[in-house]
Amino acid sequence: MAKTWRCAVVGSGLAGGWHVQLLPTLENTQLVAVCDVDPAHAKAAIESAKAPNTPVYTSLEEMLGKEKIDILHVGTPSGDHFTPARTALERGINVITEKPMEITLERIDQLAEIAKKNGVRIAGIFQNRWNVANRAMYDARQQGRFGRIAWAGCFTPWYRPDKYYQEVPWRGTWALDGGAAIMNQSVHAIDLLQWIVGPVKRVSAYSSSRIHPKIEAEDTGCCALEFADGGYGTIMGTTAMFPGGPVRIEIGGENGTAVSEGGLRVFKFREERPEDAQLLERFVPPMPDIWKKRLAEAGGPAVMEKLGLNAAVSTAGGASNKDVKIELHVKNVRHILECWEAGRDAETNPAEARKSVAIVLAFYESSRRGGDAVDVK
Ligand SMILES: NC(=O)c1ccc[n+]([C@@H]2O[C@H](COP(=O)([O-])OP(=O)(O)OC[C@H]3O[C@@H](n4cnc5c(N)ncnc54)[C@H](O)[C@@H]3O)[C@@H](O)[C@H]2O)c1
């Protein structure tokens, strides 16, 4: 019989709350406890997960001492993943952290070492790798269908009101968020860019806070970059563009171009395959609301569903951090469990999770130096 993983969550705010919600729904996980320094957050999470009898703790040590736990899911602020993750790993408990795994490379590398030393595993969440449009682009790249890449870019044109930063004081701070729009929001798309295209060699960046003067770090930034294979690229990220739109990933080379933006917009190769057109049809970006309304009036949504249209699942996040759907988190966690059961590391292991953080840190270093080119470590 397949193993049942006994899971606990530490830090049960927005993202930790998604883990609390998904754990009771998976076939091979059991939610055994939730810990949060603010017990009201833990209680709200277990209630919305319809698991109100789950034990709640305010001390991680106490939870780990009392409960039998196989995996600790870490949903504390990004710059405070290290302490709970290390505490669990040193007790022989596996760890799944939210993105980014941590905000420095040293801490990510140390966590990998501690896991190894204690014979357990650690993996991160980068749920957008399980978005069908992004995975189709990844597969095309793996199959060499783009040829030599000329240029590739990622754009995160999001919006967060002042309230977003004011209501949760760690957001936008260097110590706990590790930055702001680039480390917190754009890191998703930066991970996708480097995962699909390949390693980034150096960046030349600019960033500052354009409309959120009270936050320590940037709300807007962009960079030119050079990939290790010589191609060029761009990263743009902001939380200052009202009303916020979907993430866009764009890749083009000698034999093809692909664009994802809430779904697949372009997927065109010199060597065409019949499944390309099918992919484009199936993973068409979501329709504008006005079209949906007209279609609904004409009795159309059932027809759309029947045809399997609009099947792309995306974490929009454009205008709010609350419009993220948890399907991709479910896929990411399922993948981690499958790998661990098979005795291997997950795709989002520390060596992978550190790559986007390395790019973000080079981005910040370059920006501090007025746009000088900085090599990615
Ligand atoms: N994958 C995604 O799409 C996604 C989306 C949002 C946030 N995140 C990530 O999730 C993490 C948390 O972000 P959030 O927006 O959910 O934050 P949040 O502020 O909503 O939640 C953090 C929670 O941790 C608790 N907490 C803080 N320090 C703690 C400690 N030492 N021990 C126990 N509990 C503690 C807080 O009380 C709060 O409930 C961040 O790393 C963030 O980057 C990921």
Side-chain angles (χ1 to χ4, degrees):
M1 205 174 88
K3 179 180 170 70
T4 295
W5 298 86
R6 295 174 57 84
C7 302
V9 177
V10 62
S12 53
L14 180 73
W18 299 331
H19 290 256
V20 174
Q21 265 178 51
L22 71 87
L23 286 168
T25 69
L26 297 187
E27 43 297 321
N28 58 346
T29 57
Q30 196 186 335
L31 174 68
V32 295
V34 177
C35 171
D36 198 295
V37 285
D38 186 337
H41 290 186
K43 283 184 188 132
I46 58 175
E47 257 149 44
S48 72
K50 299 192 175 53
N53 299 323
T54 309
V56 162
Y57 294 86
T58 51
S59 152
L60 178 65
E61 291 285 350
E62 191 189 346
M63 179 171 83
L64 299 184
K66 284 199 179 151
E67 306 286 345
K68 190 180 166 314
I69 295 165
D70 299 314
I71 303 174
L72 181 70
H73 294 239
V74 179
T76 46
S78 306
D80 194 11
H81 288 174
F82 181 82
T83 305
R86 178 185 59 189
T87 307
L89 294 169
E90 284 177 343
R91 285 175 178 255
I93 296 169
N94 303 287
V95 167
I96 296 177
T97 71
E98 260 302 334
K99 56 55 47 180
M101 186 170 272
E102 246 293 351
I103 59 171
T104 73
L105 298 179
E106 292 73 19
R107 290 187 204 165
I108 295 174
D109 295 344
Q110 271 189 53
L111 288 175
E113 271 302 304
I114 298 167
K116 204 167 153 197
K117 206 167 131 199
N118 288 280
V120 283
R121 296 185 195 273
I122 175 167
I125 293 289
F126 266 127
Q127 77 269 20
N128 294 313
R129 288 189 180 200
W130 279 268
N131 168 302
V132 282
N134 297 330
R135 201 152 276 266
M137 289 166 81
Y138 172 79
D139 290 341
R141 173 70 171 149
Q142 292 296 304
Q143 292 157 8
R145 297 188 68 200
F146 291 99
R148 276 163 70 96
I149 299 288
W151 178 90
C154 66
F155 305 84
T156 306
W158 287 0
Y159 178 70
R160 297 288 180 270
D162 281 337
K163 199 164 96 136
Y164 165 85
Y165 292 106
Q166 285 156 2
E167 68 189 8
V168 181
W170 68 269
R171 291 183 183 145
T173 63
W174 288 107
L176 285 174
D177 213 351
I182 303 300
M183 181 66 97
N184 187 319
Q185 279 81 19
S186 304
V187 74
H188 283 291
I190 294 170
D191 176 63
L192 292 172
L193 187 70
Q194 68 79 29
W195 175 60
I196 298 169
V197 179
V200 174
K201 189 171 157 196
R202 63 177 148 240
V203 303
S204 178
Y206 294 92
S207 62
S208 69
S209 180
R210 301 282 304 153
I211 71 158
H212 297 102
K214 291 196 180 133
I215 63 172
E216 281 177 17
E218 81 297 338
D219 66 13
T220 303
C222 65
C223 78
L225 62 85
E226 189 183 347
F227 289 98
D229 74 358
Y232 300 113
T234 303
I235 293 169
M236 182 286 255
T238 181
T239 53
M241 267 171 66
F242 179 84
V247 165
R248 181 179 175 94
I249 310 282
E250 188 163 349
I251 297 169
E254 62 183 332
N255 294 325
T257 292
V259 179
S260 80
E261 193 180 30
L264 264 185
R265 280 202 183 276
V266 180
F267 201 64
K268 189 85 189 147
F269 297 94
R270 206 183 288 278
E271 270 183 36
E272 291 183 349
R273 295 181 187 170
E275 61 266 29
D276 293 350
Q278 286 164 15
L279 268 175
L280 267 173
E281 263 176 35
R282 278 191 69 205
F283 302 124
V284 64
M287 256 190 239
D289 286 346
I290 182 73
W291 292 5
K292 272 193 214 152
K293 190 166 165 264
R294 288 195 185 143
L295 200 65
E297 282 160 7
V303 177
M304 296 284 294
E305 208 155 290
K306 228 175 176 177
L307 293 172
L309 291 173
N310 263 337
V313 213
S314 75
T315 54
S320 158
N321 59 347
K322 301 205 167 99
D323 55 2
V324 174
K325 299 195 174 72
I326 65 167
E327 287 93 331
L328 298 180
H329 267 77
V330 167
K331 288 185 181 177
N332 196 157
V333 171
R334 268 208 183 108
H335 160 82
I336 293 170
L337 301 183
E338 273 165 26
C339 290
W340 288 359
E341 272 172 27
R344 60 173 191 272
D345 267 342
E347 196 180 281
T348 47
N349 61 39
E352 276 295 302
R354 89 192 289 289
K355 291 178 181 172
S356 49
V357 174
I359 296 168
V360 172
L361 293 175
F363 183 111
Y364 286 144
E365 180 63 24
S366 167
S367 174
R368 272 193 288 273
R369 293 206 232 146
D372 286 354
V374 169
D375 287 344
V376 176
K377 285 188 192 151

mmCIF file with all atom_site columns, all heavy atoms in Angstrom, residues 160-177:
data_model
loop_
_atom_site.group_PDB
_atom_site.id
_atom_site.type_symbol
_atom_site.label_atom_id
_atom_site.label_alt_id
_atom_site.label_comp_id
_atom_site.label_asym_id
_atom_site.label_entity_id
_atom_site.label_seq_id
_atom_site.pdbx_PDB_ins_code
_atom_site.Cartn_x
_atom_site.Cartn_y
_atom_site.Cartn_z
_atom_site.occupancy
_atom_site.B_iso_or_equiv
_atom_site.pdbx_formal_charge
_atom_site.auth_seq_id
_atom_site.auth_comp_id
_atom_site.auth_asym_id
_atom_site.auth_atom_id
_atom_site.pdbx_PDB_model_num
ATOM 1   N N   . ARG A 1 160 ? -0.309 45.913 -6.715 1.00 0.00 ? 160 ARG A N   1
ATOM 2   C CA  . ARG A 1 160 ? -0.692 45.734 -5.313 1.00 0.00 ? 160 ARG A CA  1
ATOM 3   C C   . ARG A 1 160 ? -0.934 47.114 -4.722 1.00 0.00 ? 160 ARG A C   1
ATOM 4   O O   . ARG A 1 160 ? -0.072 48.002 -4.870 1.00 0.00 ? 160 ARG A O   1
ATOM 5   C CB  . ARG A 1 160 ? 0.438  45.049 -4.505 1.00 0.00 ? 160 ARG A CB  1
ATOM 6   C CG  . ARG A 1 160 ? 0.783  43.635 -4.953 1.00 0.00 ? 160 ARG A CG  1
ATOM 7   C CD  . ARG A 1 160 ? -0.309 42.635 -4.571 1.00 0.00 ? 160 ARG A CD  1
ATOM 8   N NE  . ARG A 1 160 ? 0.006  41.283 -4.999 1.00 0.00 ? 160 ARG A NE  1
ATOM 9   C CZ  . ARG A 1 160 ? -0.321 40.723 -6.169 1.00 0.00 ? 160 ARG A CZ  1
ATOM 10  N NH1 . ARG A 1 160 ? -0.983 41.435 -7.071 1.00 0.00 ? 160 ARG A NH1 1
ATOM 11  N NH2 . ARG A 1 160 ? -0.002 39.486 -6.444 1.00 0.00 ? 160 ARG A NH2 1
ATOM 12  N N   . PRO A 1 161 ? -2.074 47.323 -4.077 1.00 0.00 ? 161 PRO A N   1
ATOM 13  C CA  . PRO A 1 161 ? -2.318 48.640 -3.471 1.00 0.00 ? 161 PRO A CA  1
ATOM 14  C C   . PRO A 1 161 ? -1.451 48.820 -2.229 1.00 0.00 ? 161 PRO A C   1
ATOM 15  O O   . PRO A 1 161 ? -0.906 47.842 -1.702 1.00 0.00 ? 161 PRO A O   1
ATOM 16  C CB  . PRO A 1 161 ? -3.805 48.569 -3.078 1.00 0.00 ? 161 PRO A CB  1
ATOM 17  C CG  . PRO A 1 161 ? -4.081 47.120 -2.903 1.00 0.00 ? 161 PRO A CG  1
ATOM 18  C CD  . PRO A 1 161 ? -3.157 46.372 -3.826 1.00 0.00 ? 161 PRO A CD  1
ATOM 19  N N   . ASP A 1 162 ? -1.345 50.052 -1.722 1.00 0.00 ? 162 ASP A N   1
ATOM 20  C CA  . ASP A 1 162 ? -0.564 50.314 -0.501 1.00 0.00 ? 162 ASP A CA  1
ATOM 21  C C   . ASP A 1 162 ? -0.986 49.392 0.633  1.00 0.00 ? 162 ASP A C   1
ATOM 22  O O   . ASP A 1 162 ? -0.165 48.933 1.420  1.00 0.00 ? 162 ASP A O   1
ATOM 23  C CB  . ASP A 1 162 ? -0.763 51.770 -0.045 1.00 0.00 ? 162 ASP A CB  1
ATOM 24  C CG  . ASP A 1 162 ? 0.092  52.736 -0.865 1.00 0.00 ? 162 ASP A CG  1
ATOM 25  O OD1 . ASP A 1 162 ? 1.109  52.276 -1.436 1.00 0.00 ? 162 ASP A OD1 1
ATOM 26  O OD2 . ASP A 1 162 ? -0.274 53.916 -0.953 1.00 0.00 ? 162 ASP A OD2 1
ATOM 27  N N   . LYS A 1 163 ? -2.296 49.118 0.682  1.00 0.00 ? 163 LYS A N   1
ATOM 28  C CA  . LYS A 1 163 ? -2.864 48.275 1.754  1.00 0.00 ? 163 LYS A CA  1
ATOM 29  C C   . LYS A 1 163 ? -2.154 46.916 1.835  1.00 0.00 ? 163 LYS A C   1
ATOM 30  O O   . LYS A 1 163 ? -1.925 46.387 2.910  1.00 0.00 ? 163 LYS A O   1
ATOM 31  C CB  . LYS A 1 163 ? -4.358 48.064 1.443  1.00 0.00 ? 163 LYS A CB  1
ATOM 32  C CG  . LYS A 1 163 ? -5.174 47.625 2.634  1.00 0.00 ? 163 LYS A CG  1
ATOM 33  C CD  . LYS A 1 163 ? -6.652 47.835 2.313  1.00 0.00 ? 163 LYS A CD  1
ATOM 34  C CE  . LYS A 1 163 ? -7.203 46.596 1.839  1.00 0.00 ? 163 LYS A CE  1
ATOM 35  N NZ  . LYS A 1 163 ? -7.976 45.706 1.724  1.00 0.00 ? 163 LYS A NZ  1
ATOM 36  N N   . TYR A 1 164 ? -1.785 46.379 0.667  1.00 0.00 ? 164 TYR A N   1
ATOM 37  C CA  . TYR A 1 164 ? -1.123 45.067 0.620  1.00 0.00 ? 164 TYR A CA  1
ATOM 38  C C   . TYR A 1 164 ? 0.156  45.093 1.454  1.00 0.00 ? 164 TYR A C   1
ATOM 39  O O   . TYR A 1 164 ? 0.470  44.142 2.161  1.00 0.00 ? 164 TYR A O   1
ATOM 40  C CB  . TYR A 1 164 ? -0.820 44.719 -0.846 1.00 0.00 ? 164 TYR A CB  1
ATOM 41  C CG  . TYR A 1 164 ? 0.165  43.586 -1.035 1.00 0.00 ? 164 TYR A CG  1
ATOM 42  C CD1 . TYR A 1 164 ? -0.246 42.253 -1.027 1.00 0.00 ? 164 TYR A CD1 1
ATOM 43  C CD2 . TYR A 1 164 ? 1.531  43.844 -1.226 1.00 0.00 ? 164 TYR A CD2 1
ATOM 44  C CE1 . TYR A 1 164 ? 0.662  41.219 -1.201 1.00 0.00 ? 164 TYR A CE1 1
ATOM 45  C CE2 . TYR A 1 164 ? 2.438  42.820 -1.397 1.00 0.00 ? 164 TYR A CE2 1
ATOM 46  C CZ  . TYR A 1 164 ? 1.998  41.514 -1.384 1.00 0.00 ? 164 TYR A CZ  1
ATOM 47  O OH  . TYR A 1 164 ? 2.900  40.486 -1.546 1.00 0.00 ? 164 TYR A OH  1
ATOM 48  N N   . TYR A 1 165 ? 0.902  46.194 1.360  1.00 0.00 ? 165 TYR A N   1
ATOM 49  C CA  . TYR A 1 165 ? 2.158  46.294 2.115  1.00 0.00 ? 165 TYR A CA  1
ATOM 50  C C   . TYR A 1 165 ? 1.896  46.708 3.564  1.00 0.00 ? 165 TYR A C   1
ATOM 51  O O   . TYR A 1 165 ? 2.592  46.271 4.468  1.00 0.00 ? 165 TYR A O   1
ATOM 52  C CB  . TYR A 1 165 ? 3.104  47.290 1.438  1.00 0.00 ? 165 TYR A CB  1
ATOM 53  C CG  . TYR A 1 165 ? 3.612  46.780 0.099  1.00 0.00 ? 165 TYR A CG  1
ATOM 54  C CD1 . TYR A 1 165 ? 3.137  47.296 -1.104 1.00 0.00 ? 165 TYR A CD1 1
ATOM 55  C CD2 . TYR A 1 165 ? 4.547  45.744 0.034  1.00 0.00 ? 165 TYR A CD2 1
ATOM 56  C CE1 . TYR A 1 165 ? 3.596  46.808 -2.339 1.00 0.00 ? 165 TYR A CE1 1
ATOM 57  C CE2 . TYR A 1 165 ? 4.999  45.248 -1.183 1.00 0.00 ? 165 TYR A CE2 1
ATOM 58  C CZ  . TYR A 1 165 ? 4.521  45.784 -2.358 1.00 0.00 ? 165 TYR A CZ  1
ATOM 59  O OH  . TYR A 1 165 ? 4.967  45.297 -3.560 1.00 0.00 ? 165 TYR A OH  1
ATOM 60  N N   . GLN A 1 166 ? 0.873  47.560 3.756  1.00 0.00 ? 166 GLN A N   1
ATOM 61  C CA  . GLN A 1 166 ? 0.613  48.070 5.120  1.00 0.00 ? 166 GLN A CA  1
ATOM 62  C C   . GLN A 1 166 ? 0.041  47.005 6.039  1.00 0.00 ? 166 GLN A C   1
ATOM 63  O O   . GLN A 1 166 ? 0.378  46.921 7.214  1.00 0.00 ? 166 GLN A O   1
ATOM 64  C CB  . GLN A 1 166 ? -0.347 49.267 5.071  1.00 0.00 ? 166 GLN A CB  1
ATOM 65  C CG  . GLN A 1 166 ? 0.327  50.532 4.591  1.00 0.00 ? 166 GLN A CG  1
ATOM 66  C CD  . GLN A 1 166 ? -0.664 51.524 3.994  1.00 0.00 ? 166 GLN A CD  1
ATOM 67  O OE1 . GLN A 1 166 ? -1.880 51.295 3.969  1.00 0.00 ? 166 GLN A OE1 1
ATOM 68  N NE2 . GLN A 1 166 ? -0.153 52.635 3.496  1.00 0.00 ? 166 GLN A NE2 1
ATOM 69  N N   . GLU A 1 167 ? -0.835 46.132 5.491  1.00 0.00 ? 167 GLU A N   1
ATOM 70  C CA  . GLU A 1 167 ? -1.527 45.191 6.389  1.00 0.00 ? 167 GLU A CA  1
ATOM 71  C C   . GLU A 1 167 ? -0.622 44.051 6.846  1.00 0.00 ? 167 GLU A C   1
ATOM 72  O O   . GLU A 1 167 ? -0.903 43.408 7.858  1.00 0.00 ? 167 GLU A O   1
ATOM 73  C CB  . GLU A 1 167 ? -2.834 44.677 5.768  1.00 0.00 ? 167 GLU A CB  1
ATOM 74  C CG  . GLU A 1 167 ? -2.650 43.781 4.564  1.00 0.00 ? 167 GLU A CG  1
ATOM 75  C CD  . GLU A 1 167 ? -3.962 43.462 3.827  1.00 0.00 ? 167 GLU A CD  1
ATOM 76  O OE1 . GLU A 1 167 ? -5.007 44.040 4.145  1.00 0.00 ? 167 GLU A OE1 1
ATOM 77  O OE2 . GLU A 1 167 ? -3.899 42.612 2.914  1.00 0.00 ? 167 GLU A OE2 1
ATOM 78  N N   . VAL A 1 168 ? 0.463  43.766 6.121  1.00 0.00 ? 168 VAL A N   1
ATOM 79  C CA  . VAL A 1 168 ? 1.393  42.699 6.525  1.00 0.00 ? 168 VAL A CA  1
ATOM 80  C C   . VAL A 1 168 ? 2.803  43.299 6.514  1.00 0.00 ? 168 VAL A C   1
ATOM 81  O O   . VAL A 1 168 ? 3.418  43.447 5.464  1.00 0.00 ? 168 VAL A O   1
ATOM 82  C CB  . VAL A 1 168 ? 1.300  41.482 5.568  1.00 0.00 ? 168 VAL A CB  1
ATOM 83  C CG1 . VAL A 1 168 ? 2.246  40.385 6.011  1.00 0.00 ? 168 VAL A CG1 1
ATOM 84  C CG2 . VAL A 1 168 ? -0.129 40.951 5.505  1.00 0.00 ? 168 VAL A CG2 1
ATOM 85  N N   . PRO A 1 169 ? 3.323  43.667 7.708  1.00 0.00 ? 169 PRO A N   1
ATOM 86  C CA  . PRO A 1 169 ? 4.528  44.512 7.768  1.00 0.00 ? 169 PRO A CA  1
ATOM 87  C C   . PRO A 1 169 ? 5.795  43.899 7.171  1.00 0.00 ? 169 PRO A C   1
ATOM 88  O O   . PRO A 1 169 ? 6.701  44.634 6.806  1.00 0.00 ? 169 PRO A O   1
ATOM 89  C CB  . PRO A 1 169 ? 4.713  44.754 9.274  1.00 0.00 ? 169 PRO A CB  1
ATOM 90  C CG  . PRO A 1 169 ? 3.481  44.278 9.944  1.00 0.00 ? 169 PRO A CG  1
ATOM 91  C CD  . PRO A 1 169 ? 2.729  43.397 9.017  1.00 0.00 ? 169 PRO A CD  1
ATOM 92  N N   . TRP A 1 170 ? 5.892  42.574 7.031  1.00 0.00 ? 170 TRP A N   1
ATOM 93  C CA  . TRP A 1 170 ? 7.133  42.005 6.495  1.00 0.00 ? 170 TRP A CA  1
ATOM 94  C C   . TRP A 1 170 ? 7.264  42.200 4.986  1.00 0.00 ? 170 TRP A C   1
ATOM 95  O O   . TRP A 1 170 ? 8.361  42.148 4.436  1.00 0.00 ? 170 TRP A O   1
ATOM 96  C CB  . TRP A 1 170 ? 7.266  40.519 6.865  1.00 0.00 ? 170 TRP A CB  1
ATOM 97  C CG  . TRP A 1 170 ? 6.277  39.577 6.221  1.00 0.00 ? 170 TRP A CG  1
ATOM 98  C CD1 . TRP A 1 170 ? 5.065  39.195 6.708  1.00 0.00 ? 170 TRP A CD1 1
ATOM 99  C CD2 . TRP A 1 170 ? 6.440  38.889 4.973  1.00 0.00 ? 170 TRP A CD2 1
ATOM 100 N NE1 . TRP A 1 170 ? 4.453  38.319 5.850  1.00 0.00 ? 170 TRP A NE1 1
ATOM 101 C CE2 . TRP A 1 170 ? 5.280  38.101 4.777  1.00 0.00 ? 170 TRP A CE2 1
ATOM 102 C CE3 . TRP A 1 170 ? 7.447  38.854 4.002  1.00 0.00 ? 170 TRP A CE3 1
ATOM 103 C CZ2 . TRP A 1 170 ? 5.097  37.300 3.648  1.00 0.00 ? 170 TRP A CZ2 1
ATOM 104 C CZ3 . TRP A 1 170 ? 7.267  38.048 2.881  1.00 0.00 ? 170 TRP A CZ3 1
ATOM 105 C CH2 . TRP A 1 170 ? 6.105  37.284 2.714  1.00 0.00 ? 170 TRP A CH2 1
ATOM 106 N N   . ARG A 1 171 ? 6.136  42.476 4.312  1.00 0.00 ? 171 ARG A N   1
ATOM 107 C CA  . ARG A 1 171 ? 6.192  42.594 2.848  1.00 0.00 ? 171 ARG A CA  1
ATOM 108 C C   . ARG A 1 171 ? 6.971  43.831 2.420  1.00 0.00 ? 171 ARG A C   1
ATOM 109 O O   . ARG A 1 171 ? 6.822  44.902 3.015  1.00 0.00 ? 171 ARG A O   1
ATOM 110 C CB  . ARG A 1 171 ? 4.778  42.692 2.266  1.00 0.00 ? 171 ARG A CB  1
ATOM 111 C CG  . ARG A 1 171 ? 4.025  41.401 2.404  1.00 0.00 ? 171 ARG A CG  1
ATOM 112 C CD  . ARG A 1 171 ? 2.659  41.500 1.760  1.00 0.00 ? 171 ARG A CD  1
ATOM 113 N NE  . ARG A 1 171 ? 1.922  40.269 1.957  1.00 0.00 ? 171 ARG A NE  1
ATOM 114 C CZ  . ARG A 1 171 ? 0.613  40.199 2.152  1.00 0.00 ? 171 ARG A CZ  1
ATOM 115 N NH1 . ARG A 1 171 ? -0.109 41.299 2.181  1.00 0.00 ? 171 ARG A NH1 1
ATOM 116 N NH2 . ARG A 1 171 ? 0.024  39.036 2.316  1.00 0.00 ? 171 ARG A NH2 1
ATOM 117 N N   . GLY A 1 172 ? 7.816  43.664 1.418  1.00 0.00 ? 172 GLY A N   1
ATOM 118 C CA  . GLY A 1 172 ? 8.594  44.783 0.895  1.00 0.00 ? 172 GLY A CA  1
ATOM 119 C C   . GLY A 1 172 ? 9.803  45.125 1.739  1.00 0.00 ? 172 GLY A C   1
ATOM 120 O O   . GLY A 1 172 ? 10.464 46.132 1.493  1.00 0.00 ? 172 GLY A O   1
ATOM 121 N N   . THR A 1 173 ? 10.116 44.271 2.750  1.00 0.00 ? 173 THR A N   1
ATOM 122 C CA  . THR A 1 173 ? 11.314 44.528 3.573  1.00 0.00 ? 173 THR A CA  1
ATOM 123 C C   . THR A 1 173 ? 12.465 43.660 3.068  1.00 0.00 ? 173 THR A C   1
ATOM 124 O O   . THR A 1 173 ? 12.253 42.541 2.587  1.00 0.00 ? 173 THR A O   1
ATOM 125 C CB  . THR A 1 173 ? 11.068 44.181 5.063  1.00 0.00 ? 173 THR A CB  1
ATOM 126 O OG1 . THR A 1 173 ? 10.789 42.781 5.180  1.00 0.00 ? 173 THR A OG1 1
ATOM 127 C CG2 . THR A 1 173 ? 9.921  44.986 5.641  1.00 0.00 ? 173 THR A CG2 1
ATOM 128 N N   . TRP A 1 174 ? 13.691 44.172 3.237  1.00 0.00 ? 174 TRP A N   1
ATOM 129 C CA  . TRP A 1 174 ? 14.867 43.403 2.803  1.00 0.00 ? 174 TRP A CA  1
ATOM 130 C C   . TRP A 1 174 ? 15.056 42.190 3.700  1.00 0.00 ? 174 TRP A C   1
ATOM 131 O O   . TRP A 1 174 ? 15.390 41.104 3.225  1.00 0.00 ? 174 TRP A O   1
ATOM 132 C CB  . TRP A 1 174 ? 16.120 44.279 2.816  1.00 0.00 ? 174 TRP A CB  1
ATOM 133 C CG  . TRP A 1 174 ? 16.094 45.283 1.710  1.00 0.00 ? 174 TRP A CG  1
ATOM 134 C CD1 . TRP A 1 174 ? 15.880 46.630 1.828  1.00 0.00 ? 174 TRP A CD1 1
ATOM 135 C CD2 . TRP A 1 174 ? 16.242 45.021 0.303  1.00 0.00 ? 174 TRP A CD2 1
ATOM 136 N NE1 . TRP A 1 174 ? 15.893 47.224 0.579  1.00 0.00 ? 174 TRP A NE1 1
ATOM 137 C CE2 . TRP A 1 174 ? 16.125 46.264 -0.369 1.00 0.00 ? 174 TRP A CE2 1
ATOM 138 C CE3 . TRP A 1 174 ? 16.474 43.879 -0.463 1.00 0.00 ? 174 TRP A CE3 1
ATOM 139 C CZ2 . TRP A 1 174 ? 16.216 46.389 -1.754 1.00 0.00 ? 174 TRP A CZ2 1
ATOM 140 C CZ3 . TRP A 1 174 ? 16.578 43.995 -1.846 1.00 0.00 ? 174 TRP A CZ3 1
ATOM 141 C CH2 . TRP A 1 174 ? 16.450 45.229 -2.476 1.00 0.00 ? 174 TRP A CH2 1
ATOM 142 N N   . ALA A 1 175 ? 14.818 42.368 5.018  1.00 0.00 ? 175 ALA A N   1
ATOM 143 C CA  . ALA A 1 175 ? 15.125 41.283 5.952  1.00 0.00 ? 175 ALA A CA  1
ATOM 144 C C   . ALA A 1 175 ? 14.200 40.086 5.791  1.00 0.00 ? 175 ALA A C   1
ATOM 145 O O   . ALA A 1 175 ? 14.648 38.936 5.865  1.00 0.00 ? 175 ALA A O   1
ATOM 146 C CB  . ALA A 1 175 ? 15.036 41.802 7.386  1.00 0.00 ? 175 ALA A CB  1
ATOM 147 N N   . LEU A 1 176 ? 12.924 40.311 5.536  1.00 0.00 ? 176 LEU A N   1
ATOM 148 C CA  . LEU A 1 176 ? 11.983 39.182 5.539  1.00 0.00 ? 176 LEU A CA  1
ATOM 149 C C   . LEU A 1 176 ? 11.381 38.862 4.172  1.00 0.00 ? 176 LEU A C   1
ATOM 150 O O   . LEU A 1 176 ? 10.959 37.726 3.929  1.00 0.00 ? 176 LEU A O   1
ATOM 151 C CB  . LEU A 1 176 ? 10.858 39.427 6.557  1.00 0.00 ? 176 LEU A CB  1
ATOM 152 C CG  . LEU A 1 176 ? 11.284 39.242 8.008  1.00 0.00 ? 176 LEU A CG  1
ATOM 153 C CD1 . LEU A 1 176 ? 10.170 39.653 8.962  1.00 0.00 ? 176 LEU A CD1 1
ATOM 154 C CD2 . LEU A 1 176 ? 11.685 37.786 8.288  1.00 0.00 ? 176 LEU A CD2 1
ATOM 155 N N   . ASP A 1 177 ? 11.342 39.842 3.269  1.00 0.00 ? 177 ASP A N   1
ATOM 156 C CA  . ASP A 1 177 ? 10.836 39.570 1.912  1.00 0.00 ? 177 ASP A CA  1
ATOM 157 C C   . ASP A 1 177 ? 12.026 39.392 0.953  1.00 0.00 ? 177 ASP A C   1
ATOM 158 O O   . ASP A 1 177 ? 11.866 38.879 -0.155 1.00 0.00 ? 177 ASP A O   1
ATOM 159 C CB  . ASP A 1 177 ? 9.944  40.738 1.446  1.00 0.00 ? 177 ASP A CB  1
ATOM 160 C CG  . ASP A 1 177 ? 8.795  40.293 0.549  1.00 0.00 ? 177 ASP A CG  1
ATOM 161 O OD1 . ASP A 1 177 ? 8.790  39.117 0.151  1.00 0.00 ? 177 ASP A OD1 1
ATOM 162 O OD2 . ASP A 1 177 ? 7.911  41.113 0.246  1.00 0.00 ? 177 ASP A OD2 1
#
